[in-house]
Amino acid sequence: MIERKSHITLKYKEIDNEKKSAYLDYYKDGKRIREALHLYLLPETSKRNIAANKRTMKEAEAARAAKENELLAVRFGIETKEPSAMRIGEAIDEYEKITLDKGDASTACNIRSMKKAVDAYRGLDTKVVDIDESYCDGLVDFLHKDYTAQFGKISMTTARAFIYLFSSTLNKAVTDGVIGVNPLRFVNIHGRITRERPLKKFLAVDEIRSLMNTPCPVMSRPQVKQAFMLSIFTYLSFADVLSLKWKDIKTDNGKTTIEVHSRKSSIPLTSVSMRWLPETTNHRGLVFKGLPKDTEIRNILLQWGKNAGIGQPLSFRLAQNTFIYLLLITGTDIGTVSCMLGFTPKTMKGYMKMVAAR
């Protein structure tokens, strides 16, 4: 009698983009089988890829050992363990309990919200062992396009958080031996559910004019209005305004600039911005003397904005965003703005959206 081969070999096949796909090569009932594991080795061009490959190889070896045990059990008539009957609702409840036991009530609350989304998707009775790539792929699409919570459609940030919590639930199932591999590993998430970045707020030209024509609500504090308007036309932050000294304002060859020490750069002063400098004959020390404390300034800005008919609360960050907005709508080159303020191209993308949204 010829003994059938049952030895299982873990092999890798080169695929696109220099990646390698892991598969099992073995014989079963006299037939050669090549079983794909859907695990991939990345080109070892970075430490991150090398670390990822080590984890993948461990997972592939675990799959090889599991398959070998399975074939040996069949060959010698050993009864194999029945698949777990745990349902996804139970798995989520266990994960929530562990999180609560750690004292993380906030994450536990998010897990409960994620559970409602999973329930709305396909219910909570799906067995964990039956959750595969197709299930996970559909869940990503459901959260991205269709799921509506109590207060309306969820944001992409929330959808992203739900996917991570669901993945953690499946990872726990792997640790507990309920399933062998987390199927979310093989689903493209980042290209479909992206982190939302809120649109930067700014003041439109008409709103700036309205502020210019509206008196400061506290007449004894004219410096507040002057400092805010100067920030709009120079990008000075609140800290820059507080520390600004007359010696930082310099004129050379007919051009006036402000030395901004926090950024180690100079900002040109136009005739429009210079009109917001306090009138004084003593050009020594601080430019804005006698500015009130933070709380009083916030209250003055809030009331001033309301008096001017501005819908959003005024802040020096809003003034800084407005400065960049004014530069961009007047045709200033992006590279010039980046160089002037020390911004990276990635940072500038957020400001370019302000112009696109107007």
Side-chain angles (χ1 to χ4, degrees):
M1 178 177 177
I2 300 174
E3 185 176 346
R4 293 174 179 173
K5 298 180 180 178
S6 62
H7 182 67
I8 300 175
T9 305
L10 176 62
K11 295 184 177 181
Y12 296 91
K13 176 184 177 182
E14 289 191 4
I15 55 177
D16 297 337
N17 301 321
E18 299 183 7
K19 291 198 302 185
K20 293 182 179 179
S21 174
Y23 68 95
L24 300 179
D25 189 352
Y26 60 95
Y27 284 86
K28 183 178 181 181
D29 298 330
K31 296 180 180 180
R32 187 175 185 180
I33 297 175
R34 294 180 177 86
E35 181 180 335
L37 295 178
H38 302 290
L39 297 173
Y40 306 96
L41 294 181
L42 305 173
E44 296 195 342
T45 54
S46 66
K47 291 182 179 179
R48 184 176 181 179
N49 284 4
I50 292 173
N53 285 346
K54 287 181 179 179
R55 293 193 297 269
T56 300
M57 291 174 73
K58 284 183 179 179
E59 197 168 333
E61 175 56 31
R64 187 205 66 77
K67 178 60 69 173
E68 190 164 61
N69 289 335
E70 177 188 325
L71 293 184
L72 284 173
V74 171
R75 179 181 175 189
F76 293 105
I78 301 172
E79 185 177 350
T80 57
K81 183 181 177 182
E82 288 291 326
S84 171
M86 174 178 278
R87 305 188 184 280
I88 188 59
E90 298 168 341
I92 295 173
D93 288 341
E94 285 193 9
Y95 180 47
E96 180 195 346
K97 184 179 182 303
I98 289 175
T99 305
L100 273 175
D101 290 342
K102 292 179 180 178
D104 192 349
S106 176
T107 300
C109 181
N110 290 335
I111 292 172
R112 287 193 292 274
S113 297
M114 177 269 289
K115 181 181 177 182
K116 291 179 182 178
V118 173
D119 188 15
Y121 173 51
R122 288 192 189 177
L124 299 174
D125 290 333
T126 303
K127 291 182 179 180
V128 177
V129 293
D130 292 334
I131 293 176
D132 54 13
E133 291 177 54
S134 176
Y135 178 102
C136 295
D137 194 65
L139 178 61
V140 172
D141 275 343
F142 177 71
L143 293 175
H144 182 198
K145 301 174 183 177
D146 301 320
Y147 181 57
T148 301
Q150 181 180 358
F151 300 105
K153 195 174 185 306
I154 61 173
S155 68
M156 288 301 97
T157 302
T158 301
R160 192 183 183 94
F162 284 179
I163 285 295
Y164 287 153
L165 291 172
F166 187 73
S167 182
S168 296
T169 302
L170 296 182
N171 284 338
K172 182 182 180 303
V174 172
T175 302
D176 294 343
V178 177
I179 54 177
V181 180
N182 181 349
L184 260 173
R185 276 184 56 111
F186 317 119
V187 176
N188 176 21
I189 299 171
H190 301 289
R192 295 151 69 187
I193 299 183
T194 56
R195 185 175 296 160
E196 290 179 317
R197 299 187 182 276
L199 183 67
K200 294 183 183 296
K201 297 180 179 179
F202 59 92
L203 293 169
V205 174
D206 289 343
E207 291 176 317
I208 298 172
R209 290 199 187 101
S210 181
L211 285 175
M212 293 171 70
N213 296 328
T214 303
C216 184
V218 181
M219 301 305 292
S220 61
R221 299 291 197 183
Q223 308 100 317
V224 175
K225 177 176 179 177
Q226 292 169 329
F228 187 84
M229 296 305 300
L230 184 66
S231 178
I232 285 178
F233 294 111
T234 60
Y235 193 74
L236 290 179
S237 67
F238 180 58
D240 293 331
V241 167
L242 287 177
S243 62
L244 182 63
K245 296 181 179 179
W246 285 107
K247 68 178 182 179
D248 297 326
I249 301 174
K250 301 177 181 179
T251 302
D252 187 21
N253 294 326
K255 294 182 179 179
T256 304
T257 59
I258 291 181
E259 293 286 334
V260 185
H261 300 292
S262 63
R263 296 195 304 273
K264 297 180 180 179
S265 62
S266 297
I267 298 293
L269 270 179
T270 63
S271 58
V272 176
S273 54
M274 288 182 67
R275 66 176 287 193
W276 299 107
L277 292 172
E279 294 184 5
T280 179
T281 56
N282 181 20
H283 288 178
R284 292 183 180 180
L286 295 174
V287 173
F288 293 100
K289 296 177 182 178
L291 278 173
K293 293 184 178 180
D294 294 0
T295 303
E296 186 178 350
I297 287 179
R298 282 197 294 269
N299 291 336
I300 291 174
L301 290 177
L302 182 64
Q303 189 58 51
W304 180 32
K306 288 181 178 179
N307 293 349
I310 308 298
Q312 55 187 323
L314 301 183
S315 68
F316 277 85
R317 170 53 64 185
L318 180 69
Q320 289 182 285
N321 288 348
T322 302
F323 172 75
I324 299 175
Y325 169 74
L326 292 175
L327 286 180
L328 293 176
I329 65 172
T330 53
T332 305
D333 180 71
I334 298 174
T336 302
V337 178
S338 299
C339 184
M340 180 191 302
L341 303 177
F343 286 168
T344 63
K346 184 177 180 180
T347 301
M348 282 305 302
K349 284 183 180 179
Y351 288 105
M352 289 302 298
K353 291 179 181 178
M354 293 191 304
V355 181
R358 69 190 178 105

